């Protein structure tokens, strides 16, 4: 079986939402919306002794957790993502009575959980602002010629929570020099060179990078050697006027 995007956090039956039409290898029922693989053969939920369970889609973390806590028998439901070549969690199967009890628990403390989510959101916002400022300071330390507003824009773009960009990587969160340089190089590639236009014209990514590599390195060298600057000006680094006249990220 392919890898799981989010492995089940405890042992128990694994149920599959099949991509193709499948029939039960025991009773012949089908096509099956859900199945269990036993010794490589598909089984319907009834034949797998899971037919009494109800499906709870993913999305409500508290309800899912509490439903599994309340249920003596539960199963994780997954579906194969062909594009990512991995199985991804779709929800869980739990006992109907357990789901009802979990819903009652969630209703009882819904307001407390809402307030906690708001507090957590405010805390994350403050943390994100501080991290972006720290990332920008490190950009200016490594590239003193980089305009202050550009450094902040690069840091803000690279460090968006959940974006998967370099600023949210382990190295980025540690403010490693390699991660900071990588973020600046990517920003220069997209804003100071015709890289995006090359991609839009059909040039392969590696070839496009090769063509603009010298321009990127020239800009980085100018920012490394330059003295502190203020706001962006309509001229490019090293005194070269930019063709589009813009300095925005």
């Amino acid at each position: 079986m392919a890898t799981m995007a989010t492995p089940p956090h405890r042992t128990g039956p694994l149920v599959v939402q099949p991509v193709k039409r499948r029939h039960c290898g025991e009773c012949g029922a089908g096509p099956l919306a859900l199945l269990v693989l036993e010794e490589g053969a598909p089984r319907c939920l009834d034949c797998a002794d899971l037919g009494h369970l109800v499906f709870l889609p993913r999305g409500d973390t508290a309800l899912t957790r509490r439903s599994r806590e309340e249920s003596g028998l539960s199963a994780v439901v997954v579906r194969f993502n062909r594009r990512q070549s991995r199985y991804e969690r779709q929800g869980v199967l739990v006992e109907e009575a357990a789901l009802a009890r979990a819903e009652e628990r969630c209703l009882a403390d819904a307001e407390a959980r809402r307030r906690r989510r708001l507090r957590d959101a405010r805390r994350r916002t403050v943390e994100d602002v501080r991290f972006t400022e720290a990332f920008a300071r490190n950009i200016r330390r490594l590239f003193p010629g980089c305009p202050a507003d550009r450094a902040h824009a690069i840091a803000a773009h690279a460090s968006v929570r959940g974006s998967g960009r370099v600023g949210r990587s382990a190295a980025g969160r540690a403010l490693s020099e390699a991660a900071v340089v990588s973020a600046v190089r990517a920003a220069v590639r997209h804003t100071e060179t015709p890289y995006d236009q090359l991609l839009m014209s059909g040039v392969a990514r590696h070839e496009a990078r090769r063509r603009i590599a010298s321009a990127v390195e020239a800009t980085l060298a100018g920012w490394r050697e330059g003295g502190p600057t203020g706001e962006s000006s309509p001229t490019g680094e090293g005194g070269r006027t930019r063709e589009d006249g813009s300095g925005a990220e």
Side-chain angles (χ1 to χ4, degrees):
M1 180 178 288
T3 59
M4 279 281 294
T6 308
H9 65 273
R10 76 178 196 187
T11 59
L14 188 67
V15 175
V16 178
Q17 284 185 349
V19 177
K20 299 180 179 179
R21 293 168 61 91
R22 304 290 296 273
H23 289 72
C24 178
E26 186 169 329
C27 70
L32 301 175
L34 297 172
L35 61 85
V36 176
L37 289 174
E38 293 182 346
E39 298 180 351
R43 297 285 189 273
C44 67
L45 296 187
D46 286 333
C47 290
D49 296 328
L50 300 176
H52 63 294
L53 302 181
V54 295
F55 178 59
L56 174 62
R58 66 181 181 179
D60 190 325
T61 304
L63 182 59
T64 297
R65 173 175 53 80
R66 288 174 171 177
S67 294
R68 299 195 72 186
E69 290 172 352
E70 295 282 351
S71 189
L73 177 64
S74 65
V76 173
V77 178
V78 298
R79 182 178 176 86
F80 188 68
N81 184 323
R82 290 175 172 174
R83 177 174 296 180
Q84 300 293 331
S85 297
R86 66 187 185 187
Y87 281 91
E88 296 178 340
R89 188 191 300 259
Q90 302 300 306
V92 295
L93 292 175
V94 294
E95 296 166 347
E96 189 169 5
L99 176 57
R101 291 192 296 270
E103 288 173 336
E104 291 176 358
R105 290 173 59 187
C106 287
L107 285 173
D109 65 356
E111 179 60 24
R113 289 187 292 113
R114 185 189 68 83
R115 291 196 298 267
R116 184 165 59 247
R117 286 195 299 270
L118 289 175
R119 290 195 301 271
D120 290 343
R122 287 193 292 267
R123 174 181 52 78
R124 287 193 296 268
T125 297
V126 171
E127 291 174 352
D128 289 348
V129 169
R130 290 174 177 171
F131 178 71
T132 297
E133 292 174 348
F135 203 99
R137 286 196 298 272
N138 275 269
I139 292 175
R140 294 276 287 167
R141 177 178 60 83
L142 295 172
F143 300 95
C146 178
D149 62 335
R150 286 297 308 280
H152 188 274
I154 293 171
H157 179 78
S159 59
V160 172
R161 186 182 293 268
S163 65
R165 296 170 186 151
V166 65
R168 303 310 304 186
S169 65
R173 292 194 300 273
L175 296 175
S176 75
E177 181 172 327
V180 173
V181 171
S182 178
V184 175
R185 178 175 282 107
V188 170
R189 183 186 301 128
H190 288 288
T191 60
E192 305 291 331
T193 77
Y195 178 69
D196 291 354
Q197 294 93 316
L198 291 173
L199 294 181
M200 289 298 292
S201 67
V203 177
R205 180 172 61 89
H206 294 295
E207 173 61 17
R209 286 196 175 196
R210 185 191 66 79
R211 293 185 189 182
I212 55 90
S214 60
V216 170
E217 294 308 318
T219 298
L220 295 182
W223 283 0
R224 285 191 181 97
E225 297 171 2
T229 60
E231 299 301 311
S232 294
S233 68
T235 60
E237 308 312 318
R240 295 188 299 276
T241 301
R242 291 192 52 184
E243 293 180 358
D244 60 2
S246 66
E249 178 67 17

